[in-house]
Amino acid sequence: MELFSVPPRWRRYLFSWRRHSQKDIDAELQFHFQTRREALMAEGLSADAAQARALEEFGDVGEVRRNLNEIDARMARRERWLDRLDAWRQDLVYAVRSLRRTPGVTLTIIVTLALGLGVNAAMFSLLNAVFLRPPAGVTEPGQVRRVWSELTFFRTGKQFWSGYDYQEFEAVRDAVVGLATAVPYLREPGKVGRGAEAIPIRTVHTSTDYFRLLGVRPARGRFFSEEEDRLGAGHKVVVASHAFWSRALGGDPAVIGRSIALSGEAHTLIGVAAPEFHGVDLDAIDVWIPLGSQAVSGRTPWWLNPNVNGFQVLLRTREGSSIDELDARATIALRRLAVERRSRDSTTVARTGALIRARGPGKLEQEVQIAQRLGGVALIVLLIACANVVNLLLARAVRRRREIAMRLALGISRGRLTRLVMTESVLLAFVAGAGAIVAAQWGGVALRALLLPDVHWAQSPLDWRVLTAALLATILAGLAAGAVPALQSGATELTEVLKTGAREGFVRRSRTRSLLVAAQAALSVVLLVGAALFVRSLSNVRGLDLGFDARGLLFGDVAFDTRDPGRDSLEATRMADVAERLRSTPGVVSTAFTHMRPMWGLSTEAYFPDADTIAHRKPEGMFWAVSPEYFATMGIRLVAGRGFPPPGGVTSPSVIVNATMAEALWPGESPLGRCVRFRQPDGRCNTVIGVVETARWGAVIEDATPQFYLPLGNLPFPERASRVLVVRARPEGVAAVSRAVRSALLDAFPGGAPVVESMGAMLASDYRPWRLGATLFSLFGILAAVVAAVGVYSTVSYNVAQRTHELGVRIALGARVADVLRHVLADGLRTTVAGVVVGVLLSVAGGRLVASLLYGVTPYDAASIGAVVVLLLGVTAASALVPGWRATRVDPVTALRAE
């Protein structure tokens, strides 16, 4: 009885037969079955009994066959993988040996790729932190949303705002019941410790539900209770971040329950947040304080005062909640509250956005917009780097044509040859990628400090997203860089190369490399034009007339730990003494006072010009309470009329307006002697006694805004009595005067912390976006130009090396040195000129992407584009000059014998 198909007997003793063949398996089973059957018959069993007994012992033959098939397949797969791994190992060893033979080219390729990959990894680490990475420690952050208000202004159009007062928060909270839970939080600077030794910290004032909504658990202790968060009657307790607890409190578990001084007041530390939680913004928060612990000062509690605003509102949506319905409910609630308050903002539209602030509907900060554009710039740098690497690998492949032809002639397959070339490319990319990770860590920190210096970052620039992106970019760069050389190496014509040498086939390969050089030049033009535009913008912004003289201006104030009612009554007298003392200090030109320094905040008040009684029809004006010396000290020019009289002079109600306000209210007429009323009980008339030029109050670039000035000691409406000292110093003595101001304030207010700031430092933040754009675009553009120059140099150099025979013939036939040099330079410039033309077209087409970030210059500025073209052509000529000069030194006899 034959249970299996049996192959010839001789195949059983050979090792070359296919083990995975079903017939072979059946033959093996048949052999063992027959052997067992014969053994049983030898023991005395009949043929039928032996057959039955052998079948019984074998069991299910089909199951045995399947098991053997699986074992055979596993072994075959293992052998195939071992063969592949061995082949890859051989390829890797060969690649290492091959690259070691040309260390200069290898190092150039690695550095070039590392720069391109590192720049991209660093930029992605920043964009990842701003746009992609949700706040650490938050449970299901996708369900947490931030509330924004969409407002429409007459001058500036649609804008988004995310700051609310407490009543607005309550309106939103009550409106979304059933769809979401809501919490407010307010970020404020604070201090830990007392007096001059106090350390600045970052605090958040929030409610009991804050941690519960975010899904955060304490690492030690507990969070606030509802009793501790009762408005106006809360407890002085505080929760610390794990980093602050470790850094400032030594990580001592025993401090839980003890008192620490926050902003001059004793607070009990009741808990420490989880180590990974640092708040919901980019800034790392140090402590959280319950809203209820904030003291009530004045007649109106802070939670009923619309001027106490800036609260951020967070929502955690419930399963199945509609975002549109959330927005609609919040909009109705905010509008209803605005109508009750008789506010002009009754057209507010609520928009809920992602928890990540940069992904909300609000306009991004200019620094973040620049970071977005720099992400695209980084990709361009990587493309230039890859093009340069391809160029170098192509040139290297040309030098190895004989070697490649010999390998093909000896029997290596073209597929294996392609794999060898790709292995070299990917190996180079991985070495460069390792360097790029190091560069990304360092570069990510540097970019954070440059673009967003006010953010105290809690997390490292590198995380799994950055590492994954860097790995993918490395693999793609390696494959892309090796693809063209691999294809051209595989297309080598054996007979032609072995017969004629490396000179042949030059034209085809030269065209490929020239195309790559042109691409590098085009992309370099794009980056350099962007750099030139930002440099022009920075120059234009710095040249703006601010309406005052910023040179030598200093502002002095005092920050107090506690709100001591007695200090306000003494502040005016003490500040006057400080000013009197400083007037005799060397280097001080003049002093004055104001209630608020420019570029810092705003104070607005509705006004009624002449007999008009409908204030809300006019825009609210920005106002300053100033001393009589203010205009001269600030350098604000008096256009008409006079300034405020000195103390003790005429005290009739008076006001000074800026030119914008005068033109808006009394166009073509003199504003002097006109009447302006405010919302004061007696409705008295404030006479316009002077007109000054319009000064910038909130930013270097802003629309001209109505402004008016009132005498500091005679305000027609309630306003804080604090005074900011204004000091004009000689430009060469600003540092010494600053120290003198700080010392004088500390002597007058020993319980406070002096704050002295120059106008130059205050303006620096406004200039920063254009300075950053100019700096970073210039750095990237210069990097791209250098890489492109390396590409031009390598291309011309290899061309000269391949054309040694031709150049020798030319020189032997009488060609002059100038002719040879001009011929070689023309080859390099011809390629670059084509790339420059394409680059100019790309710059013009992509100009709209940076148009919103420029000032006083269009993206199509001919002067900027022309300067870049001249610069790049000059760099190209310089790069081609060295190999061109080398071409003129070719010895005709040596060149003619070279082949």
Side-chain angles (χ1 to χ4, degrees), residues 452-482:
L452 299 170
D454 299 327
V455 174
H456 297 267
W457 301 88
Q459 296 170 292
S460 167
L462 301 182
D463 67 357
W464 67 268
R465 291 186 184 86
V466 178
L467 294 176
T468 302
L471 177 62
L472 291 176
T474 298
I475 295 173
L476 290 175
L479 294 176

Side-chain angles (χ1 to χ4, degrees), residues 569-589:
S569 60
L570 299 174
E571 187 171 1
T573 303
R574 291 183 182 179
M575 275 293 192
D577 294 340
V578 170
E580 186 64 30
R581 170 182 168 182
L582 290 172
R583 288 190 187 102
S584 60
T585 301
V588 174
V589 177

Side-chain angles (χ1 to χ4, degrees), residues 588-854:
V588 174
V589 177
S590 62
T591 62
F593 291 103
T594 181
H595 84 288
M596 181 184 66
R597 60 181 182 263
M599 309 292 172
W600 183 78
L602 59 90
S603 292
T604 63
E605 181 64 27
Y607 52 87
F608 306 77
D610 296 324
D612 194 347
T613 59
I614 307 179
H616 67 271
R617 288 186 179 175
K618 303 292 186 294
E620 289 188 347
M622 310 298 164
F623 79 87
W624 268 266
V626 301
S627 66
E629 307 86 4
Y630 178 80
F631 300 108
T633 303
M634 286 288 296
I636 299 177
R637 186 171 58 89
L638 189 67
V639 177
R642 58 185 175 85
F644 294 123
V650 179
T651 58
S652 59
S654 57
V655 62
I656 295 176
V657 301
N658 71 348
T660 300
M661 184 170 176
E663 181 62 27
L665 299 183
W666 304 286
E669 303 177 18
S670 173
L672 299 179
R674 299 290 187 144
C675 177
V676 178
R677 292 182 174 85
F678 304 100
R679 288 184 288 195
Q680 66 262 31
D682 58 2
R684 63 181 175 176
C685 174
N686 297 268
T687 305
V688 178
I689 64 172
V691 180
V692 295
E693 63 181 326
T694 300
R696 312 284 171 139
W697 63 268
V700 169
I701 296 178
E702 64 180 12
D703 293 332
T705 307
Q707 303 166 13
F708 58 91
Y709 302 85
L710 299 166
L712 187 60
N714 188 24
L715 295 180
F717 44 80
E719 182 61 35
R720 68 187 290 264
S722 62
R723 296 187 173 203
V724 175
L725 179 65
V726 186
V727 179
R728 175 165 293 283
R730 292 187 175 88
E732 66 275 8
V734 171
V737 172
S738 178
R739 291 192 295 269
V741 172
R742 187 180 302 276
S743 176
L745 290 173
L746 187 59
D747 291 344
F749 302 94
V755 179
V756 181
E757 193 170 10
S758 69
M759 178 57 75
M762 294 162 61
L763 293 175
S765 60
D766 274 38
Y767 293 138
R768 188 173 65 205
W770 293 279
R771 189 176 66 249
L772 287 174
T775 301
L776 294 175
F777 267 81
S778 296
L779 286 175
F780 286 169
I782 292 172
L783 175 62
V786 170
V787 173
V790 172
V792 171
Y793 173 82
S794 63
T795 299
V796 176
S797 181
Y798 276 107
N799 287 353
V800 168
Q802 283 190 301
R803 299 174 63 184
T804 301
H805 182 83
E806 174 197 340
L807 295 175
V809 171
R810 287 176 179 269
I811 294 173
L813 293 176
R816 295 177 301 174
V817 170
D819 294 333
V820 175
L821 184 60
R822 183 170 59 252
H823 183 70
V824 173
L825 291 178
D827 281 347
L829 287 174
R830 189 182 304 113
T831 302
T832 305
V833 167
V836 166
V837 171
V838 175
V840 169
L841 296 176
L842 290 176
S843 300
V844 172
R848 58 184 180 82
L849 298 177
V850 295
S852 62
L853 302 175
L854 304 177

